[in-house]
Every structure is written in C-alpha cells, then in structure tokens.
Amino acid sequence: VKNVFPNAEQRECFYHLVRNFKKRFRGFGQIYPAARAYREDIFYDNIAKMVSESAQAVKWLQTNHKLLWYRCGFNPEIKCDYITSNIAESFNNWIRDHKDLPVADLADKIREMIMVLWNKRRNIAYRLPEGRILPAIMHQLKANTRGLGHLKIVPCSNWSAEVWDHSSRVERHIVKLHQRTCTCLEWQHTGKPCQHVLAYVTRHRGVDLEQFVHDYYSVNRLRAAYGREIEPMTDKTQWPQVDLPFLVGAPLAKLPVGRRRKLRMKGWMEGGHRKKGSKDGEFTNDGEGEKGCDNDAAPTNGKGKKMIRGPMTCKKCGEKGHRQASAKCPLNGTAKKRYELIFFI
C-alpha cells in the first residue's frame, strides 16, 4: 500500500489494537481518551499516565503499532476522524453469504452488488437539491444544538468569541468563524461544527448552519462520488478467449474436509475455546467446537453463562448416550412395545 499509494495516510483500527493490547497488559484505561483526543496535549497527558504505570506498555505500542491510531495524528484535510475499521467489517458482513464462491464468481457477485448499490445512491443524490448540505448531516447538527447549557459565550466580535465549558472541568476555547477554526480541533478534523461553534452560532438569529459545514458533505460531492458507472458484464460463457503464456494449475494445498467456514473466528475475549491440556489463559480459535473441553473451559452463551457439554441424556428413559428421538432409546418403536409387554408380564 505504501508503494502504490505513497501519499495516502496509513491508519490502523483502534479496536483491533486494544484487542492485542489487552492480551498483554491490563488496567490501562487512559488509552481510550488518548485515541479519541483531537488535541495533542490531551493525548500526551494520557500517555504520560500510562508511562508512570508501565513504561513497557507504551514501548510495546510504539514498537508494534507504528501506524496512526490516534486522532490528534490524523491529517485535518482528510475530514475523517474514524479510529475503527467498522466500514470494512460492515462490508465483510455484507458479502458473508457469498464467501464460499470461487474467486471469479465471488468477484463477479461483489461487482454486481456494488453496481446495484451505486445506482441506488446515485438516484438518491440526483433527487436532492443541488448545492446544499446533505439532510442527514443537517439533522445531526440540529440535534447537537440541544443540551448546550453548560457552555458560556463571551463574544469578541461578530466572528470570534471565547466559549467556556463548565461541564466536567473548566475549559476555554476560541472560536473563529471566518477561519473555520476552534481550539478543540474537532471542527478542523471532521469538517462539521463542534459544540462550541454550535453554541456560538445558534445565539445569533437567522444564521444558516450550512455555511459552516465543509463542502465534503455537500450534495455535489455525493453526486461526484457515485457519478461513475460500474459497467455491466456478460456471463463467463461470453468472455473473450485469452491465450496465456503459462499454464494455470490447480492449487497445491488440499481443501479441508467439510463445509467451508462463513462466520468469523471469535477472539479470545469473546468466548474462545481452550484446548484440552493447555495452560490457564491459553485459548484457541480453531473453531473445532467444544470436544474435549472440561466444564471450567466451557464456552459461554450470549448471557455470559457457561455452556456445559457432556454425554447427552434421553428425556424418555433417562439413559445417557442417545437422544429421545434416537432408535437406541428402548421406548421408541418396537422396543417400546417389547418394553411395555415385558413390564406387563
């Protein structure tokens, strides 16, 4: 990625980072506000608290996670403050039912799904009024204008003011509308007015919020994003014949026995299974089920309760080793009649 897109900013998912971090270190809650902070001083304050508790944890982060995972390190020109890869997880879940297809059929199915989605969003974009901000963004900003009573406005001019925050700790931020800046840096990173800007703007009557939103959220940008068409394609029987200079052989690896896996492997913090004979704290995600697991290492259900596995018990005869609908049960079919006849005699 670095060679093909040298100017692209490389980030990594904070969710997966925390998963790896919790396997080795415990009790470092400062990593969450450090990742979400827009200001560098807040980030370094939380990192300093982590260093005071364990310098080894911070050294491990710097060694194994060198990409950007904190907001204060993001480029403000990108206007995207996401610290997780939820969009990739959503796409992964979107194509979940088609993962077992061959490579060519899988790529063709994904192309078809994206083609339909782009056409749908293109139609929505051209139904919206041109030169306006997206209605979903404006609805979000209007909802954020409520509950701002903890902010005090000290105006300096018609375009700048001091905003005092009396919520948790007293903070003072400077808002400059003509420069589109706020010292909390949220406005610069997201392109949408923060709560300090909204508190200052809404105190003036007849002010349109759309002029303070970045052009990235406009209808014109939405039309440009989905303006190109994904070309339709014929089936494989009508594809052109290509003479390759080499022979494409079958894969060398043998296919595993059984049906291919569709669901993702759960992490060790989501009820991963412990192998028989493994030490305490060692989990596995091989997806082989619960065979050979003792009661202490049994997986948990959605409510957090242990799911104890063992020899099944028949509800009819009370014997172990078979179910009530099995032919092994003496109370099913002819065996039931013989049992009743013997009991009667």
Side-chain angles (χ1 to χ4, degrees):
V1 173
K2 187 176 181 179
N3 295 332
V4 179
F5 304 100
N7 297 326
E9 186 176 86
Q10 297 190 36
R11 306 177 183 179
E12 61 178 313
C13 180
F14 178 68
Y15 175 81
H16 295 93
L17 181 147
V18 171
R19 291 288 181 179
N20 297 332
F21 185 81
K22 285 186 175 180
K23 292 180 181 179
R24 299 165 178 80
F25 307 100
R26 300 285 183 177
F28 291 92
Q30 298 88 357
I31 191 173
Y32 294 95
R36 297 189 181 100
Y38 294 98
R39 293 157 46 193
E40 291 186 354
D41 55 340
I42 299 179
F43 171 78
Y44 287 118
D45 288 345
N46 289 278
I47 294 298
K49 294 179 182 178
M50 295 179 60
V51 172
S52 62
E53 296 183 14
S54 175
Q56 183 181 2
V58 179
K59 183 178 179 181
W60 181 87
L61 281 175
Q62 296 174 350
T63 304
N64 298 279
H65 295 275
K66 298 181 180 180
L67 300 181
L68 296 176
W69 53 270
Y70 43 89
R71 284 175 174 171
C72 65
F74 296 167
N75 185 5
E77 298 297 329
I78 298 179
K79 307 304 178 186
C80 179
D81 63 338
Y82 295 162
I83 58 176
T84 59
S85 59
N86 290 344
I87 185 173
E89 302 296 339
S90 300
F91 182 83
N92 191 28
N93 182 69
W94 189 40
I95 63 173
R96 180 180 59 183
D97 297 334
H98 310 289
K99 287 183 180 180
D100 55 345
L101 295 175
V103 176
D105 296 333
L106 176 62
D108 185 64
K109 186 61 180 180
I110 294 177
R111 178 202 59 82
E112 176 189 346
M113 297 172 65
I114 296 179
M115 181 178 64
V116 175
L117 178 65
W118 278 37
N119 182 56
K120 179 181 178 181
R121 293 186 176 178
R122 188 184 305 111
N123 294 333
I124 294 175
Y126 280 97
R127 290 178 183 176
L128 298 175
E130 185 178 358
R132 305 280 293 183
I133 301 299
L134 296 175
I137 302 299
M138 298 307 303
H139 180 75
Q140 178 185 2
L141 293 178
K142 291 179 181 179
N144 293 339
T145 56
R146 303 183 182 94
L148 300 179
H150 60 283
L151 300 177
K152 179 184 177 182
I153 308 298
V154 181
C156 175
S157 62
N158 293 332
W159 55 84
S160 63
E162 294 180 0
V163 181
W164 290 68
D165 189 353
H166 297 278
S167 55
S168 58
R169 56 179 182 178
V170 179
E171 292 183 346
R172 184 170 54 190
H173 295 283
I174 301 175
V175 175
K176 294 185 177 181
L177 300 181
H178 62 292
Q179 297 180 0
R180 294 178 176 267
T181 59
C182 180
T183 52
C184 73
L185 300 181
E186 181 179 352
W187 193 10
Q188 291 89 308
H189 279 275
T190 62
K192 296 181 289 186
C194 59
Q195 60 175 351
H196 311 104
V197 178
L198 292 176
Y200 178 51
V201 170
T202 52
R203 70 190 302 267
H204 299 86
R205 294 184 178 181
V207 177
D208 190 6
L209 285 177
E210 291 191 2
Q211 59 180 326
F212 304 107
V213 184
H214 199 275
D215 188 57
Y216 285 173
Y217 303 98
S218 63
V219 176
N220 295 334
R221 291 297 182 99
L222 180 64
R223 293 180 180 180
Y226 299 102
R228 297 181 60 183
E229 297 182 4
I230 299 179
E231 294 294 334
M233 293 180 59
T234 58
D235 60 292
K236 291 189 292 185
T237 60
Q238 305 180 51
W239 289 1
Q241 299 294 331
V242 179
D243 296 331
L244 298 177
F246 54 88
L247 179 63
V248 180
L252 298 179
K254 294 183 179 179
L255 294 178
V257 180
R259 186 171 51 189
R260 292 187 178 182
R261 188 185 187 98
K262 289 188 177 181
L263 301 178
R264 66 178 179 86
M265 295 183 181
K266 291 187 177 181
W268 69 280
M269 298 182 64
E270 299 176 299
H273 304 143
R274 186 182 301 169
K275 283 187 176 179
K276 186 177 181 180
S278 62
K279 299 180 181 180
D280 295 339
E282 294 183 358
F283 293 85
T284 177
N285 295 326
D286 52 7
E288 296 179 355
E290 298 81 24
K291 295 181 180 180
C293 297
D294 53 2
N295 294 344
D296 295 334
T300 57
N301 57 11
K303 298 182 180 179
K305 295 183 179 181
K306 292 183 178 180
M307 301 169 58
I308 301 176
R309 305 291 187 183
M312 58 191 67
T313 304
C314 180
K315 296 183 180 179
K316 286 186 177 181
C317 63
E319 297 180 0
K320 296 183 179 298
H322 63 271
R323 296 187 177 92
Q324 57 182 354
S326 176
K328 298 180 180 180
C329 182
L331 300 182
N332 285 341
T334 57
K336 180 179 180 181
K337 296 180 181 180
R338 292 176 182 177
Y339 182 83
E340 292 176 351
L341 180 60
I342 295 173
F343 180 78
F344 179 74
I345 295 175

